[in-house]
Amino acid sequence: MEYKIGTRGSKLALIQAEYVCNRLREVYPGEQFSIEIIQTRGDICKEKPLDQIGSVGVFAREIEQALLDGRIQIGVHSMKDMPAVPAEGLMFTRVWKREDPRDALILRSASSLDELPEGAVIGTGSKRRSFQLRAMRPDLRIVNVRGNVDTRLRKMEEQKLDGLVLAAAGLHRLGMQNRITRYFEPEEMIPAPAQGALAIEIRENEMELQQMLDCFAHEESDRTVRAERGFLREIGADCHVPVGAICRMDESNNLSLQVMYGDAEGKKLAYDKVCGENPEQMAKEAAAHVRKKLAGRVALVGAGPGDPGLISVKGLEEIRRADCILYDRLISKELLQQAPSYCEMIYVGKENNRHAMKQEEMNRLLIDKSMECRRVVRLKGGDPFVFGRGGEEALALAEAGVPFTVIPGISSCIAAAECAGIPITHRGISDGFHVVTAHNRRDELAEIDFAGMAHGDDTCVFLMGLSKLPEIVTGLVEGGMSVDMPVAVIAQGTTPNQQCVCGTLDTILDLCEREKPVSPAIILVGKVANLQKKLGEGYITGKRYLVTQVDGERNHLTELLEKRGAVVDILWTGEIRYDENAVSPEQLREADWLVFTSRHGVEGFFRCLMAQQIDVRILAGCKIAVVGRQTGKRLAEHGLQPDLIACPQTGEALWKSLSQQAVTGDNLLLCKASNAREQIPASLMERCHIHIANVYENFPTALCVPEIQTYQGILFTCASGVQRFAEALDSGGRELWRRQSCCYSIGPKTTEALRQQGVENVMEAAEASYEALAELL
């Protein structure tokens, strides 16, 4: 059979391939062996440092692809250039006898390192060599030099470099030992892992070819290289960071592994040495020791049950300082937005059988990121250790030597029930509770002691069990539980989309078929579920409300309701259009009072000033009156404080207060909407001069009112919104609204407008503010 051996085209690579080819021809004269030259990316990009042209493997990918394509049968590389794990579908054979693994110094004219003058220039393309060389001689200037050995030697002469650092093995194979000024012993400069060894690569399952190649294996070289490359694999290094490893065997066949590892800038370097007999175990120990010296800290943070406000203070602090966050599927965007702008976000979520990555890969990623970042957060839904596999991640970190901390989170088994109005325990009803996961790692029903659950009074909670609900019901009934036992299925608990389906073991399947709750959901079985009818009424979590608002003012009311867990839909009833010429400098010079009846009036007024370039100091001596705190707050944003705030916060109270404080003959400039009606007292109009500035218009927009019966209530924040809402309804919808809808009003004018429309169920806030309206619910 003909075997093609793939290699790079450099002189050294060809010497290595020819060495392999000749050995095979000697032992297997009946087979044909030939060499095929393959150009790699590393050969093309000769001027850039290795860390700028890609990760480990830039000298191998094209050869590996040729192996996979079947164009060659054997690939020959320098083992130090190879990634820790071969490409999928390929494998390395056992290691042949390696060359000298040390690094060597070649000087252009000096005879020793000590003779080099201060600031001498040394060339190398390796961060590992550069950082270790600086440790010996901090004054040296290190420059990047790449290319084959002949190219580097030529550059040394042309660029007048004082010296080069190269691998001794390559110089030996090229017969250039005489150019070496001195060798660096491993105690001075730890070589690259597997330096001096050849990597012979073939396709997996080529058993006959593997046996042919393994007959050349050298036991000492194979064991020492396994330890060195094991460290490379365990530490997860690439060409962006300096990594070194050298393993040596003594006369008793015991191994000694020396390693070094650092960050990309060389600011932190860690060294370690372990001894033993098992190369793989030694590699793990050395990597763990290095991580203890260099790794950042990982925080396993419980994000809570869904509501971003339920994370712990400590957990939120970790998010806000994180350099990297690995987060689950159910983590809210609001929490992720708390992270710094530079924080790396990695999604590692799981949903049914669709996993972003396997748990083992996730553990590995956590370990690797700890070596790149100072603060890594593993953000997990609920509590990290309650059916969250946080224990497995903690064990992996501990074994890898990575410092970590655990920040508990509120589990949905408690929080979802509470937010639905169900206490998980209650004196006289349930003195305890059982919490189990409903499925196993094969996505089958877990082994659950249904009989033990069925014969007690404790509350039973099943997590991740919505798809197993029929089997859970059957198991409990067959275990002896009454079919009349109350059951609550709480989906998307503590979030605005919370849904609670209550029934009994006899009815819950039909109810869920009708209501169709979606995961994540908890299943709660026990007498405490009966309390939901009484306690659930006091919650707005998961209930849907319709809020009428003017375009451009996704206001504080919506935020207040959403923070309480409500689902808020907004119906835009108007669009604000400003008139930037509504106020003149003459009016402002004559004004004794500025009067604002809305924050839009404030905004429109200052737009007039900006558009006409009117200096705000024109208001010197003018007093300002506002209808309420929110209007006063908007005024304060422009650097002005009101002299009068109406109490209560109504137009009527505003004009009453002005009647008491304005002096006869005062000029009052009212900034308002052109389509707003103000009930100014006649007595005030008789004593004072009222000037109107229509700084904006609340312009009606086309409305498409959703099905109002789907809402727990409708909130109105102005009288115009009531009028436009009514006009948008058909006769049937208008009658339903008047008779059945629960309407919440921000103040007297809005309430009056609702009454005029014939709405029967109207509740008014204690004062005209968003806070009071939210509190009313």
Side-chain angles (χ1 to χ4, degrees):
M1 180 177 173
E2 182 180 2
Y3 294 94
K4 292 184 178 180
I5 301 172
T7 181
R8 295 165 58 204
S10 71
K11 185 188 295 186
L12 177 59
L14 284 171
I15 287 174
Q16 293 175 164
E18 287 168 359
Y19 170 73
V20 172
C21 187
N22 291 334
R23 293 295 305 274
L24 290 170
R25 284 171 179 162
E26 291 173 6
V27 178
Y28 304 107
E31 310 292 348
Q32 294 182 0
F33 300 93
S34 60
I35 293 174
E36 183 162 328
I37 297 173
I38 299 172
Q39 193 174 40
T40 68
R41 188 182 179 203
D43 297 314
I44 298 171
C45 304
K46 293 182 178 180
E47 299 305 316
K48 292 183 179 180
L50 286 176
D51 61 301
Q52 294 182 18
I53 62 174
S55 60
V56 176
V58 294
F59 294 113
R61 288 198 191 99
E62 289 77 8
I63 296 174
E64 290 183 324
Q65 191 58 52
L67 275 169
L68 293 169
D69 294 342
R71 290 184 280 124
I72 61 174
Q73 287 70 47
I74 302 170
V76 177
H77 322 267
S78 292
M79 184 69 91
K80 70 179 179 64
D81 296 332
M82 301 304 292
V85 179
E88 186 175 357
L90 301 179
M91 62 170 290
F92 296 124
T93 64
R94 295 185 66 198
V95 178
W96 295 14
K97 182 175 177 57
R98 77 193 296 185
E99 251 292 356
D100 190 329
R102 294 175 296 176
D103 287 307
L105 176 66
I106 297 177
L107 296 178
R108 186 165 57 87
S109 57
S111 58
S112 71
L113 184 64
D114 294 336
E115 283 186 14
L116 287 175
E118 185 174 343
V121 182
I122 302 295
T124 177
S126 161
K127 285 187 174 182
R128 172 189 59 81
R129 291 170 179 155
S130 173
F131 296 155
Q132 292 187 96
L133 196 57
R134 281 203 180 99
M136 289 184 268
R137 283 282 304 268
D139 63 292
L140 295 178
R141 188 161 68 91
I142 313 298
V143 297
N144 177 63
V145 175
R146 284 202 50 232
N148 59 44
V149 173
D150 288 333
T151 299
R152 297 190 199 196
L153 290 170
R154 187 185 73 250
K155 286 182 178 180
M156 181 177 70
E157 298 296 335
E158 292 173 351
Q159 300 175 20
K160 304 301 181 183
L161 304 179
D162 293 290
L164 297 172
V165 181
L166 299 171
L171 295 168
H172 287 194
R173 288 178 176 135
L174 289 167
M176 303 174 68
Q177 296 94 321
N178 62 316
R179 295 300 305 268
I180 296 175
T181 304
R182 64 159 292 187
Y183 294 94
F184 289 110
E185 296 302 322
E187 287 72 21
E188 298 175 296
M189 181 178 291
I190 297 179
Q195 185 162 291
L198 296 181
I200 301 177
E201 196 171 20
I202 62 174
R203 288 188 295 272
E204 286 182 338
N205 302 318
E206 296 274 0
M207 303 302 296
E208 184 177 348
L209 180 56
Q210 181 182 350
Q211 291 176 0
M212 290 170 59
L213 294 165
D214 281 350
C215 76
F216 299 98
H218 183 258
E219 181 66 22
E220 179 179 345
S221 298
D222 188 62
R223 290 185 67 195
T224 55
V225 167
R226 276 164 51 199
E228 294 167 22
R229 285 180 53 77
F231 173 75
L232 181 67
R233 181 176 59 253
E234 287 295 326
I235 205 68
D238 59 23
C239 66
H240 297 279
V241 295
V243 58
I246 179 69
C247 186
R248 289 172 285 188
M249 181 186 292
D250 63 19
E251 297 177 353
S252 302
N253 292 331
N254 293 318
L255 301 177
S256 172
L257 175 65
Q258 287 178 265
V259 300
M260 64 83 61
Y261 185 87
D263 61 6
E265 292 76 32
K267 295 179 180 178
K268 296 189 297 182
L269 292 176
Y271 294 83
D272 196 66
K273 180 178 180 179
V274 295
C275 299
E277 298 180 356
N278 186 311
E280 287 74 19
Q281 185 59 38
M282 292 169 61
K284 287 184 178 181
E285 289 180 19
H289 294 168
V290 168
R291 289 193 195 96
K292 286 181 181 179
K293 299 174 183 177
L294 295 182
R297 184 174 59 86
V298 176
L300 304 176
V301 178
D307 180 350
L310 293 178
I311 192 171
S312 67
V313 173
K314 195 171 183 180
L316 190 58
E317 289 175 353
E318 290 291 344
I319 293 173
R320 288 173 174 168
R321 297 187 299 171
D323 300 308
C324 176
I325 296 178
L326 288 74
Y327 64 97
D328 283 345
R329 177 174 67 95
L330 299 175
I331 303 302
S332 69
K333 291 181 180 178
E334 290 87 343
L335 279 183
L336 297 177
Q337 289 169 352
Q338 294 294 318
S341 59
Y342 55 80
C343 180
E344 180 184 8
M345 298 288 185
I346 303 175
Y347 175 70
V348 293
K350 301 176 182 178
E351 182 178 6
N352 295 330
N353 292 318
R354 298 188 299 275
H355 294 178
M357 61 179 64
K358 296 178 180 178
Q359 185 64 48
E360 294 74 17
E361 295 172 340
M362 194 184 309
N363 296 348
R364 179 75 246 182
L365 183 60
L366 269 178
I367 294 167
D368 291 345
K369 285 299 173 183
S370 76
M371 296 298 286
E372 299 174 17
C373 308
R374 289 182 59 201
R375 294 185 178 93
V376 179
V377 169
R378 174 69 177 99
L379 195 56
K380 305 173 73 67
D383 181 89
F385 286 1
V386 178
F387 306 120
R389 305 190 73 173
E392 296 174 47
E393 293 168 6
L395 280 173
L397 292 170
E399 291 174 0
V402 176
F404 69 94
T405 185
V406 180
I407 299 176
I410 302 174
S411 174
S412 62
C413 67
I414 298 172
E418 290 179 355
C419 287
I422 303 174
I424 199 166
T425 63
H426 192 80
R427 188 173 182 181
I429 299 178
S430 173
D431 294 329
F433 59 93
H434 296 272
V435 182
V436 297
T437 178
H439 69 270
N440 60 24
R441 66 179 61 188
R442 295 183 298 277
D443 202 32
E444 302 168 345
L445 183 68
E447 295 183 8
I448 301 171
D449 182 11
F450 287 113
M453 289 182 165
H455 290 93
D457 292 328
D458 290 348
T459 305
C460 302
V461 182
F462 301 86
L463 301 185
M464 300 172 283
L466 190 58
S467 64
K468 306 297 181 186
L469 182 58
E471 296 163 85
I472 291 170
V473 170
T474 300
L476 289 171
V477 172
E478 290 180 351
M481 187 173 283
S482 169
V483 295
D484 296 324
M485 181 63 72
V487 181
V489 175
I490 306 161
Q492 303 185 74
T494 77
T495 73
N497 297 318
Q498 178 172 297
Q499 179 184 12
C500 184
V501 182
C502 293
T504 65
L505 286 175
D506 188 40
T507 62
I508 195 64
L509 293 178
D510 291 336
L511 290 170
C512 286
E513 180 63 29
R514 186 181 71 198
E515 300 294 333
K516 301 190 182 306
V518 297
S519 65
I522 74 165
I523 301 163
L524 184 145
V525 183
K527 295 175 183 178
V528 291
N530 279 335
L531 296 174
Q532 198 275 337
K533 297 174 184 177
K534 296 180 180 180
L535 301 180
E537 291 302 314
Y539 288 77
I540 67 171
T541 299
K543 296 178 181 177
R544 188 175 294 274
Y545 294 90
L546 182 65
V547 176
T548 60
Q549 292 185 12
V550 177
D551 185 24
E553 64 164 45
R554 180 178 169 78
N555 54 36
H556 188 47
L557 174 60
T558 303
E559 296 175 0
L560 289 171
L561 296 177
E562 290 179 340
K563 284 182 178 179
R564 288 164 167 78
V567 183
V568 180
D569 290 339
I570 299 174
L571 182 67
W572 304 112
T573 61
E575 175 187 353
I576 300 298
R577 297 181 182 177
Y578 295 100
D579 182 356
E580 295 178 345
N581 296 305
V583 175
S584 69
E586 291 73 21
Q587 288 176 310
L588 296 176
R589 290 191 188 99
E590 296 175 357
D592 299 296
W593 283 90
L594 273 180
V595 183
F596 297 107
T597 56
S598 73
R599 61 185 181 282
H600 294 300
V602 175
E603 184 64 28
F605 173 79
F606 280 96
R607 288 192 180 208
C608 288
L609 297 190
M610 291 292 292
Q612 300 179 54
Q613 297 184 334
I614 299 174
D615 194 318
V616 72
R617 287 176 291 185
I618 198 172
L619 299 176
C622 182
K623 295 182 179 180
I624 304 175
V626 297
V627 73
R629 290 192 301 272
Q630 290 298 322
T631 306
K633 183 178 179 181
R634 183 60 61 89
L635 183 70
E637 291 173 0
H638 293 278
L640 297 178
Q641 297 295 329
D643 299 280
L644 188 158
I645 300 177
C647 183
Q649 301 179 82
T650 64
E652 182 181 356
L654 174 64
W655 292 117
K656 183 178 179 180
S657 297
L658 277 169
S659 296
Q660 295 170 352
Q661 296 193 30
V663 178
T664 299
D666 275 353
N667 287 299
L668 278 64
L669 180 58
L670 170 61
C671 299
K672 69 177 201 61
S674 60
N675 50 354
R677 298 189 306 274
E678 294 295 337
Q679 298 176 345
I680 305 173
S683 60
L684 184 63
M685 295 181 69
E686 292 172 357
R687 292 191 304 108
C688 300
H689 306 288
I690 310 296
H691 305 278
I692 304 298
N694 293 319
V695 296
Y696 73 97
E697 180 180 2
N698 185 345
F699 193 80
T701 56
L703 298 184
C704 182
V705 179
E707 296 182 3
I708 58 178
Q709 63 268 27
T710 62
Y711 295 97
Q712 191 78 15
I714 306 172
L715 287 74
F716 292 92
T717 57
C718 63
S720 64
V722 174
Q723 180 67 32
R724 293 166 186 172
F725 185 87
E727 293 171 353
L729 294 171
D730 57 25
S731 58
R734 195 174 299 117
E735 190 65 24
L736 181 65
W737 175 49
R738 290 169 174 166
R739 301 285 179 261
Q740 298 183 21
S741 292
C742 183
C743 295
Y744 299 87
S745 164
I746 197 169
K749 281 190 177 182
T750 306
T751 300
E752 181 183 353
L754 287 165
R755 296 295 186 198
Q756 289 176 354
Q757 292 294 333
V759 178
E760 297 177 357
N761 190 3
V762 180
M763 285 176 277
E764 183 180 311
E767 64 175 21
S769 70
Y770 293 144
E771 290 81 4
L773 189 54
E775 196 63 34
L776 177 63
L777 267 64

